[in-house]
Structure formats: C-alpha cells, structure tokens
Amino acid sequence: METLQGGGALKHEREAPMRIRPIEPRDRERILEIVTATGNFTPVEIATAMEVVDEALADPAHPRGDYRAFVLEDERSHVAGYECHGPTPLTEGTYDLYWIAVDPACQGSGFGRALLAFAEQDVRATGGRLLLIETSSQESYGDTIRFYEKSGYPLAARIKEFYRQGDDKLIFAKRLTGDTALVPE
Amino acid sequence: METLQGGGALKHEREAPMRIRPIEPRDRERILEIVTATGNFTPVEIATAMEVVDEALADPAHPRGDYRAFVLEDERSHVAGYECHGPTPLTEGTYDLYWIAVDPACQGSGFGRALLAFAEQDVRATGGRLLLIETSSQESYGDTIRFYEKSGYPLAARIKEFYRQGDDKLIFAKRLTGDTALVPE
C-alpha cells in the first residue's frame, strides 16, 4: 500500500484533504526547504536528513529497502511534509523512523499525524512489530516530544549527555501489533 | 598515539606481553577467523562486523575517521583480538565501540581489557567524553555484559524486544574524563 487518501483510512478530528505517495526525485528541493524551514535542525543535521533522502531516492520502489520515504501532498498537490523510515539493521521486525517533518506553515492540519500513521501502516505491512523514534531532549523539541507521546510512543530509554553536554537522546517506542496501526487517541 | 606496549601504560594483574597497532589489510582474514570462533555472532552479524572492518581499512590512517580499528598481537606477534570504534554521528564527543573480540583460545590473558582500555585512550585523545557499547541481553552475552560492567560501564539504557522478541538491546556507557582512561578496578 503505497498511497493513502486523506479522509479515508485515517480518522482525525481536523483533517485537511491530503495524499501520501512515495518520494520522487523532483521532491528533493522541496524537502530541503521544509527541513530548513522547521528551524529545528543544524546544518549538519540537515545534511544528514538529505543523505537519508538520497538513499531513499536511490531505490524508491524497493518494498524492503533500507530507507523508505514518502511525501504528503495537500489539497493543491503541494508537498507539505515527508517521513522516512526503515528496518533497523541486525533486528527482526524493529524499524526506525529516521525523519519526519511538516512545513511550519501547514502545522495544525494533522499532516504530522497522517505521516506517522502512514509510516506505522507501512512498517506493519512489511512485518514490523516495533517502531522507534530518537530525538533530542532539548527544549526546542518540546512540541515534537509531546507529539510522539500523544501518538502512542512512550519514552523507552534516555541516554544522558548523548548529543552534547546537557542534551540527552530520547528513544520513543511503539509496539505495532493487532489493531494499533492507526493513531489512537 | 597509535600503539600500546603491554606491561607499559596498562596495569593489569595478569598481563601477557602484547602490542596494539592499527589494522592492516593482511589482518582481515584473521579477524574473520576470530569473530567466527567466538561463536557469539550470527552470519549476518559477522558480515556486518566485516563491513565495519572494511570501512576502517578504507582509511586506516585518518585520526578522525568514522571507523578506527586496532588489532592486538600476542608475544608471538600473532593477532589475538581487535576492536573498532568511532565518533557517533550528530554528537559532540560521543563515541561507539562498534566491535571488540578476542580469540577464545586467548581469553583470560587480559587482552579484552587491554583493547578496551586502548579504545578509551584513543577516544580521549580525539576529544571524546562518552563511550557507548551496545549489546544483546541474550544469555550467551552474559560474560560480555559482566566484562563491560567490571570495566566501568554501567547500564545506561535498555530497549525491550529490540533485536527480536525476548532479546533486548542493552546500552552501556562510560564517561571519559580526567584520569578515568585506564580501566579502574
């Protein structure tokens, strides 16, 4: 299942029309724009995000690729966000959500939740049972952290001082079994 | 500081003569032999270990390379073990110990402790402040886990069911500051 029509499978209170589809080369520039616009990432982090995008673009059709990236188009067919996930090496059924970002101008439209629900659905479709999300404990990530918690991702682990002094790594985890593929709430 | 003479900087109770030096292409076959002989790794894990070795071999002289690998030679100049570590992407001063293995025939000689102490020394020399080691909670890793704990690595985090059902990821961490570069004990 490679696309998801807004208003169909997902049940959100406030949901704008949308469509989620696999990434294409023409999306690259727009994704760079979105990642930069969020204001959350350093230049090195942005470069890493784009490396992951390029990995996904190198083999976009592979259903079991290491990096699977999808973009969300709004009602004007304009790309408003993207997510990238893939199987965690050396595990059986564990996946990482490597990146998820929505244009700040579109936030509050339920796009982030739709992208996350789509990633979960895709992970389950390829036999995944556990989805992990790593993020920083920095205050600027407060909204992001609350978003994950509200989406059913409790904090699974914290590695103190991981990124730098005073900046921990937080690992959120959701078990994907039975009927938990849709965002609860 | 690229080599370490046994009986010199390290203080171990039972320490056989040894020398630690950067990896060379001729070590590849012997490392594969050692990793296989430990009996701890699956074929996929062995392949991953060798990928990391190849990454280290691709740029062995780079003092700030992503993968730095060193071998330990015993008194007969025979390679008895190796370790590989490198800076963790997107962090300031955090390093991962990616792999450490000693030929089972040589275990009990203090070689594992010497390799770990060498890695710590090398990390500190390149400005590192935190060294992480990830391993499995499986029973077959019991000796490994006790080795890390005895070497001053408390358990920093556990991600349940990470590798597979019933097999957690354990993350051990040691802060490398001041005079803690040598294995305490």
Side-chain angles (χ1 to χ4, degrees):
Chain A
M1 181 172 296
E2 297 282 321
T3 63
L4 183 73
Q5 300 299 327
L10 292 171
K11 296 177 186 69
H12 291 135
E13 287 180 343
R14 292 186 304 156
E15 183 172 289
M18 66 181 81
R19 173 174 170 259
I20 295 177
R21 61 163 173 80
I23 193 175
E24 295 173 15
R26 65 185 162 105
D27 300 319
R28 194 181 187 285
E29 196 174 342
R30 175 66 182 137
I31 288 174
L32 175 57
E33 203 172 83
I34 291 171
V35 170
T36 307
T38 64
N40 252 349
F41 304 115
T42 66
V44 172
E45 288 166 339
I46 291 171
T48 304
M50 297 315 292
E51 278 175 29
V52 171
V53 163
D54 290 335
E55 288 276 356
L57 281 171
D59 194 6
H62 198 305
R64 310 220 176 236
D66 288 341
Y67 299 94
R68 286 171 65 70
F70 297 84
V71 299
L72 183 149
E73 289 181 352
D74 65 14
E75 57 192 341
R76 296 168 302 142
S77 298
H78 194 59
V79 171
Y82 86 109
E83 66 85 15
C84 181
H85 63 273
T88 310
L90 302 182
T91 71
E92 289 175 10
T94 296
Y95 284 69
D96 274 294
L97 186 80
Y98 292 112
W99 234 276
I100 183 167
V102 171
D103 185 343
C106 305
Q107 280 171 13
S109 311
F111 291 165
R113 289 198 295 177
L115 280 165
L116 185 55
F118 181 85
E120 293 172 7
Q121 198 176 39
D122 189 68
V123 166
R124 290 177 76 235
T126 50
R129 57 176 177 81
L130 183 64
L131 184 54
L132 303 177
I133 312 177
E134 300 184 351
T135 195
S136 154
S137 66
Q138 278 188 302
E139 276 206 16
S140 57
Y141 285 89
D143 287 345
T144 305
I145 291 166
R146 279 184 289 279
F147 167 66
Y148 296 143
E149 287 175 339
K150 272 177 53 179
S151 302
Y153 288 76
L155 182 65
R158 173 192 292 264
I159 301 178
K160 289 199 176 177
E161 318 272 354
F162 178 85
Y163 293 107
R164 56 193 69 79
Q165 304 271 9
D167 188 359
D168 305 344
K169 174 157 91 173
L170 307 179
I171 303 169
F172 297 89
K174 184 174 191 170
R175 256 154 257 285
L176 301 176
T177 52
D179 56 357
T180 60
L182 297 181
V183 177
E185 202 187 1
Chain B
M1 179 173 295
E2 296 281 323
T3 63
L4 182 73
Q5 300 298 327
L10 292 173
K11 295 178 187 71
H12 289 137
E13 287 181 341
R14 294 185 305 155
E15 182 171 288
M18 66 180 81
R19 173 173 169 260
I20 295 176
R21 61 163 174 79
I23 193 174
E24 295 173 16
R26 65 183 162 107
D27 300 319
R28 194 182 188 283
E29 197 174 342
R30 175 65 182 137
I31 288 173
L32 176 57
E33 202 172 83
I34 292 171
V35 170
T36 307
T38 64
N40 252 350
F41 304 116
T42 65
V44 172
E45 287 166 341
I46 291 172
T48 305
M50 297 315 294
E51 277 174 30
V52 171
V53 163
D54 290 335
E55 288 276 355
L57 281 172
D59 196 6
H62 198 306
R64 310 219 176 240
D66 288 340
Y67 299 94
R68 287 169 64 70
F70 296 85
V71 299
L72 183 148
E73 289 181 353
D74 65 15
E75 56 192 340
R76 295 167 302 143
S77 298
H78 193 58
V79 170
Y82 86 109
E83 67 85 14
C84 181
H85 63 272
T88 310
L90 302 181
T91 71
E92 290 175 10
T94 295
Y95 284 68
D96 273 294
L97 185 79
Y98 292 113
W99 234 276
I100 183 168
V102 172
D103 185 342
C106 305
Q107 280 171 14
S109 311
F111 291 165
R113 289 197 295 179
L115 280 164
L116 185 55
F118 181 86
E120 293 172 6
Q121 196 175 42
D122 189 69
V123 166
R124 290 177 77 234
T126 49
R129 58 177 176 81
L130 182 64
L131 184 53
L132 302 178
I133 311 178
E134 299 184 351
T135 194
S136 154
S137 66
Q138 278 188 301
E139 275 206 20
S140 58
Y141 285 88
D143 287 347
T144 305
I145 291 166
R146 280 184 288 279
F147 167 67
Y148 296 141
E149 288 174 340
K150 272 176 53 179
S151 301
Y153 289 75
L155 182 65
R158 171 192 294 264
I159 302 178
K160 290 198 175 177
E161 318 273 353
F162 177 85
Y163 292 108
R164 57 192 68 78
Q165 304 271 8
D167 188 359
D168 305 344
K169 175 156 90 173
L170 307 179
I171 303 169
F172 298 89
K174 184 174 191 169
R175 258 153 253 287
L176 302 175
T177 51
D179 57 355
T180 61
L182 296 182
V183 177
E185 201 184 3

